């Protein structure tokens, strides 16, 4: 008789061995449901986490220039303007290069080049040399963002894009919760050490992309041309009227968002008499909410059309910052931060997902670059504008203006994005 492999009655009745509790599937796990994302998205997560964990030079650049090099506050502040102007220029360049050369190549080159620029930065001593190094550093570093956003659109199915973009932001926020704190410690010890750590982590992030295998996609004109070789979609972004209106909405809501770095701290300290430590607490609340809730929110709303989240996000920014005009208590201020943080968690992943949906596949980098430029322009204009309004007209007026800008951004989004379908519908149409 031959040996049989049939199970005995006792073996067939034996229940499979399982853990009594699985954290991966538990409601206690805020990131459940992300297991289906491609490995490339997780590689980008690791890349951004490493890179942002070491990001410390930019927050302490003014302090370095004034204390270490003896620059006047005005000259040191001018370097931030140089950085912002460079970001406005090089963001679109990075997007265009990602369409021409491939998003992966641009991301690798951006990280490696900016890492070496950081290593060389302390050698610059004069105002001209520092300005040149700032342009080089900003130019190399700011090309990464549009390329990384374009890369996500190439490897993720439409119905998973918002979760993927939310995961990307999670890595950035986790890293930024560590980098500036570590930078503050290193700045008290050695500014050179701060530059070295930032450079090394940037190079390590580049090494992740260089040494790990990626799926065979170039990001260059992937499914991007018609059979005749013609470009799909409008000839340029300047012919895409809806997209230009959409960028206007991004710029307006960006002005409102960046008040948390300018008018908000001045208002809290000078007008409400609250301590700088309380302002720091608001950052902690914002980061904790994003880490805990952004991925679950975007997973739960994956079937919603992008337009709905765009409008809701802008309105939450309008209400969150606008309410500061009538709120003066610490508890009330915390409540406003919670409101606009929910807007942040809904809006920014929806912006990226919407652009991935409407952009011609051979020019996704260009569209992402235009988005990066709009945010950089808002970062350049917004803080200055908020401070000027606060000084000239007082807090009630500045927060009223922010409410109006946020509401106008919501109207722009509603008008510019009616073509947007839900990601699930888009995925079904493309299958």
């Amino acid at each position: 008789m031959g040996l049989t492999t049939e199970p005995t009655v006792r073996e067939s009745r034996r229940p499979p061995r399982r853990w009594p509790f699985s954290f991966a599937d538990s409601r206690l796990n805020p990131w459940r449901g992300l297991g289906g994302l491609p490995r490339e998205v997780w590689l980008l997560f690791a890349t951004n986490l490493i890179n942002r964990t070491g990001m410390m030079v930019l927050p302490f650049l003014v302090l370095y220039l004034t204390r270490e090099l003896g620059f006047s506050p005005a000259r040191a502040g001018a370097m931030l303007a140089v950085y912002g102007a460079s970001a406005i220029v090089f963001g679109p360049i990075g997007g265009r290069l990602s369409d021409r050369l491939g998003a992966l190549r641009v991301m690798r080159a951006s990280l490696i080049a900016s890492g070496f620029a950081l290593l060389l930065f302390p050698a610059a001593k004069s105002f001209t040399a520092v300005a040149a190094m700032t342009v080089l550093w900003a130019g190399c570093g700011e090309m990464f963002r549009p390329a990384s956003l374009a890369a996500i659109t190439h490897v993720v199915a439409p119905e998973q894009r918002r979760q993927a973009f939310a995961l990307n932001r999670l890595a950035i926020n986790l890293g930024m919760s560590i980098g500036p704190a570590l930078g503050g410690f290193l700045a008290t010890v050695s500014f050179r050490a701060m530059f070295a750590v930032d450079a090394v982590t940037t190079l390590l992030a580049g090494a992740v992309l260089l040494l790990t295998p990626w799926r065979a996609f170039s990001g260059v004109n992937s499914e991007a041309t018609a059979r005749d070789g013609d470009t799909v979609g409008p000839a340029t972004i300047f012919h895409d009227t809806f997209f230009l209106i959409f960028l206007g909405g991004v710029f307006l809501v960006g002005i409102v968002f960046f008040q948390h770095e300018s008018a908000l701290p001045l208002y809290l300290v000078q007008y409400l008499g609250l301590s700088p430590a309380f302002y720091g607490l608001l950052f902690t609340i914002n980061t904790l909410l994003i880490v805990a809730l952004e991925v679950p929110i975007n997973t739960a709303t994956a079937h919603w059309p992008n337009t709905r989240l765009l409008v809701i996000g802008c309105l939450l920014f309008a209400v969150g910052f606008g309410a500061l005009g009538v709120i003066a208590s610490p508890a009330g201020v915390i409540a406003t931060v919670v409101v606009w943080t929910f807007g942040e968690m809904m809006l920014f992943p929806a912006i990226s997902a919407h652009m991935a949906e409407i952009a011609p596949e051979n020019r996704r980098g260009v569209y992402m670059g235009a988005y990066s430029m709009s945010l950089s322009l808002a970062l350049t204009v917004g803080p200055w504008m908020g401070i000027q309004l606060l000084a000239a007209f007082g807090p009630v007026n500045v927060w009223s203006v922010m409410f109006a800008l946020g509401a106008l951004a919501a109207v722009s989004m509603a008008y510019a994005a009616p073509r947007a379908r839900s990601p699930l519908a888009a995925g079904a149409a493309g299958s």
Side-chain angles (χ1 to χ4, degrees):
M1 294 178 62
L3 294 175
T4 178
T5 59
E6 292 295 324
T8 66
V9 174
R10 180 176 298 177
E11 289 174 335
S12 64
R13 291 178 180 175
R14 181 181 300 164
R17 298 183 63 184
R18 299 183 61 175
W19 291 101
F21 176 78
S22 173
F23 181 72
D25 299 324
S26 169
R27 291 184 178 275
L28 297 176
N29 177 11
W31 308 300
R32 69 186 185 278
L34 296 180
L37 291 175
R39 66 184 299 273
E40 288 80 8
V41 175
W42 291 101
L43 287 175
L44 271 178
F45 175 88
T47 300
N48 275 307
L49 182 60
I50 295 170
N51 187 31
R52 295 295 178 145
T53 298
M55 184 178 179
M56 55 191 70
V57 169
L58 186 59
F60 293 93
L61 182 61
V62 170
L63 189 63
Y64 164 73
L65 295 176
T66 53
R67 290 191 177 181
E68 189 79 2
L69 301 187
F71 282 22
S72 67
R75 283 198 158 196
M79 287 302 108
L80 290 181
V82 169
Y83 188 98
S86 301
I88 293 172
V89 172
F90 283 95
I93 291 175
R96 184 172 294 276
L97 287 177
S98 69
D99 289 333
R100 297 290 181 87
L101 304 177
L104 185 57
R105 291 178 180 175
V106 173
M107 289 189 294
R108 288 169 172 171
S110 170
L111 291 171
I112 299 300
S114 58
F116 281 111
L118 283 167
L119 285 176
L120 296 174
F121 201 111
K125 302 297 183 181
S126 67
F127 181 83
T128 302
V130 169
M133 287 302 304
T134 301
V135 171
L136 176 64
W137 169 41
C140 295
E142 290 299 320
M143 288 194 292
F144 178 84
R145 178 169 26 179
S148 66
L149 295 176
I152 291 175
T153 67
H154 284 293
V155 299
V156 177
E159 64 271 15
Q160 290 182 309
R161 281 176 181 154
R162 280 209 294 265
Q163 295 99 306
F165 288 123
L167 183 65
N168 189 59
R169 276 177 39 84
L170 175 63
I172 294 171
N173 280 283
L174 283 174
M176 289 298 291
S177 67
I178 300 172
L182 179 59
F185 169 75
L186 291 175
T188 62
V189 178
S190 169
F191 281 107
R192 283 186 173 272
M194 184 179 67
F195 277 95
V197 171
D198 199 336
V200 168
T201 53
T202 304
L203 293 172
L204 284 175
V208 170
L209 296 184
L210 278 171
L211 302 178
T212 53
W214 276 59
R215 196 190 320 176
F217 95 99
S218 64
V220 183
N221 296 339
S222 174
E223 303 177 15
T225 54
R227 294 178 182 177
D228 299 332
D230 296 331
T231 301
V232 179
T236 68
I237 61 171
F238 299 105
H239 292 84
D240 192 337
T241 304
F242 285 107
F243 182 62
L244 294 178
I245 297 173
F246 173 78
L247 287 183
V250 170
F251 173 70
L252 292 176
V253 77
I255 289 177
V256 180
F257 173 63
F258 288 121
Q259 298 311 309
H260 78 275
E261 298 180 351
S262 55
L264 179 59
L266 288 178
Y267 171 64
L268 296 178
V269 175
Q270 295 184 3
Y271 289 84
L272 298 187
L274 299 172
S275 68
F278 178 80
Y279 173 63
L281 174 65
L282 300 182
F283 271 95
T284 302
I285 293 171
N286 171 264
T287 302
L288 289 176
L289 286 173
I290 290 172
V291 170
L293 297 178
E294 181 164 332
V295 170
I297 285 173
N298 284 275
T299 300
T301 60
H303 61 287
W304 288 15
N306 292 323
T307 307
R308 185 184 303 174
L309 288 171
L310 293 171
V311 172
I312 293 174
C314 290
L315 289 177
L316 289 176
F317 270 113
V319 171
F321 282 94
L324 290 170
V326 295
I327 286 177
S329 67
V333 172
I334 291 175
T336 65
V337 171
V338 172
V339 169
W340 64 254
T341 298
F342 270 87
E344 180 183 357
M345 292 187 288
M346 292 181 178
L347 179 67
F348 289 111
I351 286 176
S352 300
H354 173 70
M355 289 191 300
E357 183 180 327
I358 67 171
E361 294 187 21
N362 62 326
R363 289 202 304 279
R364 281 176 175 162
V366 171
Y367 276 65
M368 296 298 183
Y371 162 58
S372 179
M373 182 184 69
S374 293
L375 274 188
S376 297
L377 188 60
L379 178 59
T380 302
V381 174
W384 173 85
M385 175 181 173
I387 292 173
Q388 297 301 315
L389 287 174
L390 185 64
F393 301 104
V396 174
N397 289 289
V398 70
W399 301 127
S400 298
V401 169
M402 294 308 147
F403 175 82
L405 292 180
L408 183 58
V411 173
S412 300
M413 297 294 186
Y415 178 76
R419 302 167 295 162
R421 300 166 293 172
S422 71
L424 293 177
S431 61

